[in-house]
């Protein structure tokens, strides 16, 4: 008596001979269950016309029930006729992918990683320092301006218009005037200087004009340069310098003696270091001895104004430039630099000026460059003048205007 397994095998052989082909091939099962799970089995394409001989689906179920052990592996579903596998997709049965094992080559899509922006701690610290410095400078400047003692002798000059002009090379010239006005009286300018910023050299330059220089003052004829301030204030001085020496001024600042002393004492509590040229005592408030020393605001002012010697105004102009250079050089001290915003506020509060605060902030670094020294020029230059008298009988310096004009232009363009 034959078993069911033998009968199925005999039927399979007969059908294979009649169809002259194999129905399908099955990989030999290994005894190792792990290998069976990895390999499973593969079906080959059905060869020949099998619909005339047998029902593929029923035979497959019968064969599977007898040949494949019930090990929990993948088994055929009944979707062969429709051409769909058990996952509902066309293309026959495929073994399921092992999502837990990346060795199959399947990698699930991952979301894009958002790159974190790198922070620059040094840059952040610098920005914070700059913000703190800006707040400090604005606060100190405002405090200095509020606490300044506004001088009544300069109030009339503040009200006068100043039609500043920017130089053709884009530089800014600031007209610096030292006034010896007292008791509300507008006197002649004691000091006339031009501070050049933003020039081709990118370094502050200082031009001093001797007050006894004979010039042609618009509307008043020929007389001393310092008379222009008494006749028409800073604006008339600007016009006079432009007409006689070819220089244009954008802004002006007028400082009287008391304001000068106050600013110096604020910036330099221990005084300004000066190497005095000689002993001085005539027509000044305090006696000065020759040699290196520290001068407070009052002593420094007397040193800069002294002219009762054989050099007269020439010596005074040279000492005024020496004082300005010493002030710039004294700013090397960090403590002095820290006081600069407050001192600038006092100057803006006590002096008559049209300098905008934005200009001061923009040119702070330009002024600091003067710490290393300021280039200086005195007008008239050597061998370009002679003594003479004006229409009022006063002693004046008769100058070669063309020669001095060329000297000024060359100095500022270097």
């Amino acid at each position: 008596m034959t078993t069911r397994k033998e009968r199925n095998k005999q039927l399979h052989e007969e059908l294979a001979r009649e169809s002259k082909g194999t129905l399908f091939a099955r990989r030999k099962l290994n005894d190792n269950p792990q290998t069976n799970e990895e390999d499973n089995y593969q079906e080959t394409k059905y060869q020949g016309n099998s619909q005339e001989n047998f029902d593929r689906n029923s035979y497959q179920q019968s064969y599977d029930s007898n040949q494949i052990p019930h090990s929990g592996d993948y088994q055929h579903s009944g979707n062969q006729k429709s051409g769909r596998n058990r996952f509902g997709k066309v293309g026959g049965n495929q073994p399921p992918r092992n999502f837990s094992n990346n060795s199959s080559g399947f990698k699930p899509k991952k979301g894009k990683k958002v790159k974190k922006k790198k922070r620059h701690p040094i840059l952040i610290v610098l920005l914070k320092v700059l913000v703190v410095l800006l707040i400090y400078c604005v606060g100190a400047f405002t405090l200095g301006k509020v606490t300044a003692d506004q001088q009544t002798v300069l109030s009339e000059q503040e009200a006068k218009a100043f039609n500043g002009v920017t130089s053709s090379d884009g530089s800014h010239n600031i007209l610096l005037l030292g006034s010896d006005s007292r008791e509300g009286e507008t006197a002649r300018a004691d000091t006339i200087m031009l501070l050049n910023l933003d020039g081709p050299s990118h370094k502050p330059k200082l031009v001093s004009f001797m007050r006894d220089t004979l010039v042609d003052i618009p509307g008043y004829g020929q007389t001393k340069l310092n008379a222009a301030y008494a006749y028409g204030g800073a604006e008339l001085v600007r016009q006079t310098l432009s007409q006689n020496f070819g220089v244009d001024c954008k802004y002006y600042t007028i400082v009287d003696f008391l304001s000068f002393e106050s600013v110096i004492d604020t910036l330099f509590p221990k005084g300004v270091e000066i190497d005095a040229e000689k002993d001085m005592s005539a027509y000044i408030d305090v006696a000065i001895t020759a040699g290196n020393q520290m001068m407070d605001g009052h002593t420094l002012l007397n040193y800069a104004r002294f002219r009762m010697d054989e050099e007269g105004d020439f010596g005074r102009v040279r000492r005024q430039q020496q004082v300005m250079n010493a002030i710039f050089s004294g700013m090397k001290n960090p403590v002095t630099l820290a006081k600069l915003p407050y001192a600038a506020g006092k100057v803006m509060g006590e002096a008559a000026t049209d300098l905008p605060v934005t200009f001061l902030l923009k040119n702070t670094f330009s002024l600091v460059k003067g710490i290393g020294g300021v280039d200086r020029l005195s007008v008239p230059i050597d061998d370009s003048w002679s003594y003479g008298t004006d229409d009022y009988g006063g002693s004046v310096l008769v100058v070669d205007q063309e020669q001095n004009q060329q000297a000024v232009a060359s100095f500022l363009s270097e």
Side-chain angles (χ1 to χ4, degrees):
M1 183 175 179
T2 61
T3 63
R4 184 180 179 183
K5 181 177 180 180
E6 291 175 348
R7 288 196 303 271
N8 288 337
K9 182 177 181 181
Q10 184 180 1
L11 177 62
H12 175 72
E13 292 175 352
E14 291 176 358
L15 290 174
R17 284 194 299 271
E18 292 177 2
S19 61
K20 297 181 182 180
T22 58
L23 178 63
F24 56 85
R26 185 178 302 277
R27 180 182 296 176
K28 186 177 180 180
L29 297 176
N30 294 329
D31 294 335
N32 188 351
Q34 294 182 353
T35 307
N36 292 335
E37 290 178 1
E38 293 177 358
D39 295 339
N40 293 324
Y41 62 88
Q42 296 181 351
E43 290 184 358
T44 59
K45 293 182 179 180
Y46 175 72
Q47 299 181 0
N49 186 3
S50 62
Q51 293 181 357
E52 299 176 356
N53 302 307
F54 69 98
D55 186 341
R56 178 183 177 185
N57 189 41
S58 61
Y59 174 75
Q60 180 178 335
Q61 291 177 355
S62 175
Y63 184 82
D64 288 344
S65 64
N66 289 279
Q67 298 296 329
I68 301 177
H70 297 281
S71 59
D73 283 345
Y74 169 81
Q75 297 198 6
H76 290 282
S77 64
N79 292 328
Q80 293 288 345
K81 289 184 179 180
S82 62
R84 295 180 179 271
N85 59 20
R86 71 186 185 118
F87 299 101
K89 295 184 179 181
V90 179
N93 288 313
Q94 297 291 336
R97 292 180 177 178
N98 186 1
F99 290 91
S100 63
N101 188 1
N102 289 333
S103 63
S104 62
F106 176 79
K107 293 182 179 180
K109 293 183 179 180
K110 297 181 179 180
K112 294 183 179 179
K113 294 182 178 180
V114 180
K115 294 183 178 179
K116 294 183 179 180
K117 295 182 179 180
K118 294 183 179 180
R119 295 183 178 181
H120 301 280
I122 297 178
L123 181 59
I124 294 175
V125 171
L126 288 177
L127 289 175
K128 290 181 178 180
V129 171
L130 289 176
V131 171
V132 172
L133 286 176
L134 181 60
I135 295 174
Y136 167 76
C137 291
V138 173
F141 179 87
T142 304
L143 180 62
K145 191 172 182 178
V146 170
T147 58
D149 181 18
Q150 186 69 36
Q151 301 298 313
T152 57
V153 294
L154 297 177
S155 59
E156 295 181 1
Q157 296 296 338
E158 289 184 16
K160 293 185 178 180
F162 187 83
N163 302 317
V165 178
T166 304
S167 300
S168 58
D169 60 359
S171 61
H172 296 89
N173 295 325
I174 304 173
L175 179 61
L176 303 178
L177 300 174
S179 172
D180 60 353
S181 301
R182 293 181 176 87
E183 297 179 0
E185 178 185 357
T186 302
R188 300 188 177 194
D190 190 69
T191 302
I192 303 173
M193 293 182 177
L194 184 148
L195 178 63
N196 176 265
L197 299 176
D198 303 327
S201 66
H202 302 288
K203 181 181 179 181
K205 294 192 174 187
L206 191 66
V207 182
S208 296
F209 297 91
M210 296 186 187
R211 64 183 222 166
D212 290 339
T213 302
L214 182 65
V215 293
D216 186 11
I217 300 177
Y220 294 90
Q222 289 190 337
T223 187
K224 293 182 180 181
L225 176 60
N226 66 342
Y229 178 72
Y231 295 152
E235 170 60 18
L236 189 57
V237 176
R238 183 196 69 80
Q239 296 178 16
T240 302
L241 293 179
S242 178
Q243 179 173 312
N244 291 269
F245 301 104
V247 290
D248 292 311
C249 297
K250 179 65 175 178
Y251 304 108
Y252 78 95
T253 298
I254 306 171
V255 180
D256 69 348
F257 299 152
L258 294 177
S259 298
F260 177 83
E261 294 179 14
S262 175
V263 171
I264 293 301
D265 291 336
T266 300
L267 283 175
F268 308 98
K270 296 181 180 180
V272 178
E273 186 176 2
I274 286 286
D275 187 8
E277 297 178 345
K278 60 182 72 176
D279 294 339
M280 305 174 187
S281 59
Y283 294 95
I284 55 177
D285 298 336
V286 57
I288 299 173
T289 57
N292 193 67
Q293 56 194 287
M294 304 297 291
M295 295 186 180
D296 60 11
H298 183 69
T299 305
L300 193 65
L301 176 64
N302 279 272
Y303 179 76
R305 295 193 66 210
F306 179 79
R307 66 168 183 166
M308 294 300 170
D309 58 7
E310 65 280 2
E311 291 185 291
D313 203 32
F314 289 93
R316 179 165 67 174
V317 169
R318 184 179 65 251
R319 285 186 290 273
Q320 288 175 352
Q321 292 183 340
Q322 182 187 6
V323 167
M324 292 295 294
N325 194 58
I327 292 173
F328 275 104
S329 298
M331 292 180 183
K332 294 178 181 178
N333 190 331
V335 177
T336 302
L337 283 175
K339 296 178 180 179
L340 187 58
Y342 179 78
K346 292 196 70 173
V347 171
M348 295 291 288
E350 295 180 354
T353 181
D354 64 345
L355 276 171
V357 177
T358 54
F359 179 83
L360 291 175
L361 294 175
K362 179 182 176 182
N363 288 273
T364 298
F365 293 105
S366 297
L367 293 172
V368 171
K369 289 179 181 179
I371 291 176
V374 180
D375 293 339
R376 298 170 288 176
L377 176 70
S378 296
V379 177
I381 60 175
D382 295 339
D383 302 325
S384 68
W385 61 274
S386 61
Y387 286 111
T389 56
D390 60 7
D391 296 339
Y392 304 96
S395 177
V396 296
L397 302 176
V398 180
V399 303
D400 186 332
Q401 288 190 352
E402 183 177 353
Q403 185 177 354
N404 281 278
Q405 185 171 336
Q406 291 177 355
V408 172
S410 178
F411 173 73
L412 296 179
S413 62
E414 293 177 352

